[in-house]
Amino acid sequence: MAKVNIKIEGIPFQVEEGLTILEAAKKCGFEIPSLCAFNHGECSRGSCRVCLVEATGARGLVASCVYPVAEGMEITISSPKATEARRTSVELLLSNHNKNCQQCDKNGNCELLHVARITGAREDMYVGEKTETTIDRLTPSIYRDTSKCILCGRCIERCKNAHGLGILGFEKRGFNTIVAPAENRSFANSPCLLCGQCVTVCPTGALMEVSEIEKVDEAMKAGKYVVVQTAPAVRAAIGEEFGMPIGTLATGKMVSALKRLGFKKVFDTNFGADLTIMEEATELLGRIKNGGVLPMITSCSPGWINYAEYNYGDLLPHLSSCKSPHEMFGAILKSYYCEKNGIDPKDMFVVSIMPCTAKKFEKEREQLQVNGLRDVDAVLTTRELGRLIKRSGIDFKRLPDSEFDNDIVGEYTGAGVIFGATGGVMEAALRTAIFVLTGKEAQPVELKEVRGLEGIKEASYNLGGKQINIAVAHGMKNAKVLLDDIRAGKSKYHFIEIMCCPGGCVAGGGQPYVKPCFLPDEDADILDTYRAKRAAALYKEDELRPIRASHNNPQIVDLYKNFLGEPNSHKSHELLHTTYKAREGFND
Ligand code: SF4
Ligand code: SF4
Ligand code: SF4
Ligand code: FES
């Protein structure tokens, strides 16, 4: 890449040609305030004017997030003119903003508050009429509060880039402009996947997850038997809430914290993941043997299920009928576990800690209950778990490590752990399918061809004389390519893994924010690597597990022997399988 010579604040630097001033400044260790720019130009509308600087060769001040560097350019961040202009831009944004920072869940991660601080914004400099507010709290997953929106458009770009969707857009005009689903509908009345990808990039509290912390507090106060399970991706990211580097595996500290928070039992959703593999691999092999609908597609990502129900109703028979791992585990806890431990299932309250906002919606699906009891009662995101731990004053970093509970359920294998990364479900399923079809354990146990962040990965295996073609996609934009092929009768695959969020659950919509302005300089390029770093933490845990294939989990073997019978049995279907329904995209 060609280089150009520039000066920032009088200091000479050589930087890559084509960078914006904002990107070049960040690389050279300068912070220019910014709001609408994000993620290497994924969204730079140049609308907030918070990043204004002086640059030779330009007329007046320039928005550094869209203005490219040029040979010989001298950039001044600190001139009185630029300083005052940036401060005024922030003050204007604040003049149309609901400033209830004390009660705002974004406080601590709010980029508007951050730029207000670093630009020295003065209180109530511009007071006047405010844009009419819409608060949409109709979904159990995410909410929208336009009184906190700065119209940066990042959410619109993220929805488009991740999924090829345009759920959010600019509505109305001029001073009345808001960001909303078409015609300012609720998310609940639009074909939104509730994946929360837009929430992860929103700089303010305008888009947030719906918190269920109070629901958990109430269950504890009411004396319920409150148990908790944590998804694999949570352990690979919860440390970030407490300043630990991205990619830190914090399993033991997380379990200790949950025990201190008063949960009666702390389980690992990976037990449910192992169970899912037993059911899903059996379902796949049954479909192959009996001429069932192929390719079969995984069903553990609720954002993906929403996408399928809204957009590919004709392909629903391709979806595995397996519930997702935490739902399976909830159903087993309220049946097998309660029965063996003399607990009335009505007294049990199951909390799932998930990297995902769509799971909050999933747990409310009417298909996901047994005998009138929901499999799971509350879902907290990794971020909410961070808030819960901080609220109680627990010193997370200094906690000793603890083990998950695993009396008759809870034991897990390496196969369960890797569910959190794109390709993980496929790899786990193949470890078991290979064993069932050949009678031999997968060798090598690591199937690296399905790992990594490529949008679509594919591979082919000869299993017991039969050629099995598989594919893995993450982000609905990639999934669409595979789905359109199935629709056109052109798919060559037997089994497809689809995860809604780009990178899989490690980068789910409920995971800790990765915001450049809050990261140290050495992590300037983290937006390219954080997904891989979190996934690497899970592959590390897989390597460390003594048992790495689901069919070898002794508690799963016992569960089938003592309770379920065999995979895909009548009882398994009653407790562990579900159905799907095509849905209309827009309704009021
Ligand atoms: S979005 Fe930020 S500035 Fe606005 S109320 Fe919340 S914390 Fe305060
Ligand atoms: S939740 Fe997902 S699908 Fe819905 S608007 Fe946000 S990014 Fe788009
Ligand atoms: S909702 Fe958030 S991300 Fe979307 S435009 Fe408003 S402030 Fe920006
Ligand atoms: S960050 Fe440059 S205009 Fe918004």
Side-chain angles (χ1 to χ4, degrees):
M1 179 77 71
K3 302 263 185 188
V4 291
N5 296 293
I6 59 169
K7 280 188 181 171
I8 305 180
E9 294 287 285
I11 307 169
F13 295 98
Q14 259 201 347
V15 296
E16 286 160 27
E17 194 178 18
L19 291 181
T20 63
I21 294 176
L22 184 69
E23 287 165 337
K26 175 86 183 163
K27 280 189 189 291
C28 299
F30 293 91
E31 182 176 14
I32 303 176
S34 66
L35 278 175
C36 68
F38 188 65
N39 201 359
H40 301 266
E42 180 178 68
C43 172
S44 247
R45 297 179 57 245
S47 60
C48 75
R49 318 302 287 170
V50 163
C51 66
L52 296 173
V53 296
E54 292 197 69
T56 51
R59 254 200 252 141
L61 297 167
V62 295
S64 60
C65 64
V66 286
Y67 206 87
V69 290
E71 180 59 35
M73 181 181 269
E74 294 188 20
I75 297 152
T76 311
I77 302 168
S78 64
S79 71
K81 195 170 150 197
T83 307
E84 186 55 31
R86 290 192 299 267
R87 179 156 75 158
T88 303
S89 299
V90 177
E91 286 165 352
L92 284 168
L93 288 172
L94 290 171
S95 71
N96 196 19
H97 190 87
N98 169 6
K99 300 184 276 286
N100 68 338
C101 304
Q102 290 92 335
Q103 285 79 37
C104 184
D105 281 341
K106 204 54 160 260
N107 197 336
N109 291 294
C110 177
E111 292 173 59
L112 179 57
L113 209 50
H114 175 71
V115 295
R117 197 176 306 122
I118 61 174
T119 57
R122 294 152 294 190
E123 202 184 337
D124 293 335
M125 278 303 282
Y126 304 95
V127 182
E129 209 191 331
K130 288 196 169 158
T131 308
E132 197 184 323
T133 298
T134 299
I135 297 180
D136 169 19
R137 279 188 170 269
L138 286 185
T139 84
S141 290
I142 58 174
Y143 73 84
R144 181 170 59 93
D145 177 350
T146 62
S147 70
K148 296 188 182 171
C149 177
I150 57 163
L151 302 176
C152 67
R154 286 183 187 184
C155 51
I156 301 172
E157 291 296 311
R158 176 48 64 96
C159 189
K160 196 160 60 186
N161 291 341
H163 305 313
L165 292 176
I167 303 296
L168 290 164
F170 291 102
E171 292 283 313
K172 306 189 188 171
R173 281 167 183 248
F175 183 70
N176 295 320
T177 305
I178 53 168
V179 165
E183 295 168 7
N184 200 13
R185 285 183 166 95
S186 162
F187 283 123
N189 300 323
S190 78
C192 168
L193 314 180
L194 304 176
C195 69
Q197 282 299 311
C198 50
V199 174
T200 63
V201 298
C202 180
T204 70
L207 291 172
M208 293 290 294
E209 69 267 35
V210 173
S211 177
E212 294 185 63
I213 289 178
E214 262 181 51
K215 218 191 238 182
V216 177
D217 286 345
E218 276 164 23
M220 290 225 181
K221 274 191 210 133
K224 292 262 187 189
Y225 194 89
V226 185
V227 301
V228 67
Q229 55 169 317
T230 68
V234 178
R235 73 204 64 190
I238 184 67
E240 292 164 33
E241 288 285 320
F242 303 92
M244 292 168 147
I246 290 182
T248 302
L249 190 63
T251 319
K253 292 189 190 308
M254 176 187 72
V255 174
S256 294
L258 288 165
K259 291 194 168 170
R260 288 198 188 186
L261 286 169
F263 290 100
K264 287 267 195 293
K265 294 282 174 185
V266 181
F267 294 120
D268 195 331
T269 304
N270 291 338
F271 176 83
D274 281 335
L275 193 53
T276 304
I277 289 303
M278 297 304 288
E279 292 294 320
E280 206 163 71
T282 307
E283 185 185 357
L284 172 67
L285 298 176
R287 287 189 191 212
I288 292 174
K289 196 165 139 211
N290 305 322
V293 178
L294 291 172
M296 187 177 94
I297 313 177
T298 55
S299 54
C300 43
S301 164
W304 144 238
I305 299 296
N306 289 340
Y307 182 75
E309 290 188 331
Y310 282 132
N311 301 288
Y312 289 89
D314 53 323
L315 299 190
L316 294 179
H318 288 267
L319 271 61
S320 159
S321 61
C322 289
K323 290 180 183 176
S324 66
H326 83 120
E327 293 287 338
M328 280 201 185
F329 201 0
I332 290 298
L333 285 169
K334 289 190 179 180
S335 54
Y336 176 66
Y337 188 83
C338 280
E339 192 181 300
K340 298 283 178 210
N341 287 285
I343 301 165
D344 182 346
K346 289 197 199 73
D347 287 339
M348 181 176 265
F349 190 91
V350 177
V351 180
S352 297
I353 314 282
M354 296 282 130
C356 177
T357 52
K359 294 263 179 213
K360 288 174 180 278
F361 167 82
E362 179 194 42
K363 69 154 193 332
E364 314 243 319
R365 291 171 76 100
E366 57 181 26
Q367 303 97 313
L368 295 177
Q369 44 184 312
V370 180
N371 299 329
L373 289 181
R374 290 198 189 289
D375 298 335
V376 169
D377 300 286
V379 169
L380 304 183
T381 60
T382 311
R383 293 191 295 265
E384 283 173 277
L385 175 59
R387 294 211 289 276
L388 204 58
I389 297 171
K390 285 174 199 159
R391 181 184 80 173
S392 65
I394 292 170
D395 186 348
F396 187 83
K397 276 180 156 169
R398 284 201 269 183
L399 282 173
D401 287 346
S402 297
E403 297 280 332
F404 283 109
D405 288 302
N406 70 348
D407 33 14
I408 56 167
V409 295
E411 182 63 62
Y412 65 98
T413 71
V417 182
I418 57 177
F419 260 58
T422 162
V425 181
M426 178 61 73
E427 184 171 344
L430 286 172
R431 288 181 192 174
T432 289
I434 289 170
F435 176 76
V436 174
L437 281 172
T438 66
K440 293 187 195 129
E441 297 294 341
Q443 277 309 333
V445 70
E446 290 167 7
L447 303 161
K448 295 208 166 141
E449 50 282 8
V450 294
R451 297 186 178 186
L453 290 169
E454 227 178 293
I456 297 176
K457 289 161 280 187
E458 48 178 10
S460 191
Y461 299 92
N462 189 311
L463 302 186
K466 179 142 185 69
Q467 206 62 27
I468 305 280
N469 302 324
I470 60 101
V472 172
H474 52 122
M476 294 302 98
K477 216 172 167 177
N478 295 318
K480 188 174 188 308
V481 176
L482 299 178
L483 295 167
D484 286 344
D485 272 357
I486 300 176
R487 203 175 244 173
K490 291 192 305 198
S491 181
K492 62 175 182 189
Y493 303 113
H494 296 87
F495 190 27
I496 296 178
E497 178 202 294
I498 295 183
M499 289 289 158
C500 181
C501 292
C505 307
V506 285
Q511 290 285 68
Y513 298 111
V514 180
K515 299 198 162 199
C517 67
F518 297 125
L519 291 168
D521 284 349
E522 59 269 24
D523 284 337
D525 290 328
I526 204 74
L527 292 169
D528 294 333
T529 56
Y530 77 96
R531 294 183 177 99
K533 285 191 174 176
R534 287 176 181 166
L538 296 184
Y539 288 122
K540 188 163 98 197
E541 183 160 350
D542 169 36
E543 253 174 67
L544 296 173
R545 296 302 297 171
I547 305 174
R548 299 180 68 187
S550 303
H551 56 274
N552 294 326
N553 181 333
Q555 288 183 343
I556 294 282
V557 173
D558 283 351
L559 176 65
Y560 280 109
K561 200 161 74 193
N562 302 331
F563 189 66
L564 292 172
E566 57 189 32
N568 287 199
S569 67
H570 180 70
K571 191 148 196 168
S572 294
H573 267 278
E574 211 175 86
L575 292 171
L576 309 178
H577 289 253
T578 185
T579 55
Y580 312 103
K581 205 161 97 190
R583 284 187 272 160
E584 287 294 318
F586 288 101
N587 46 70
D588 283 311

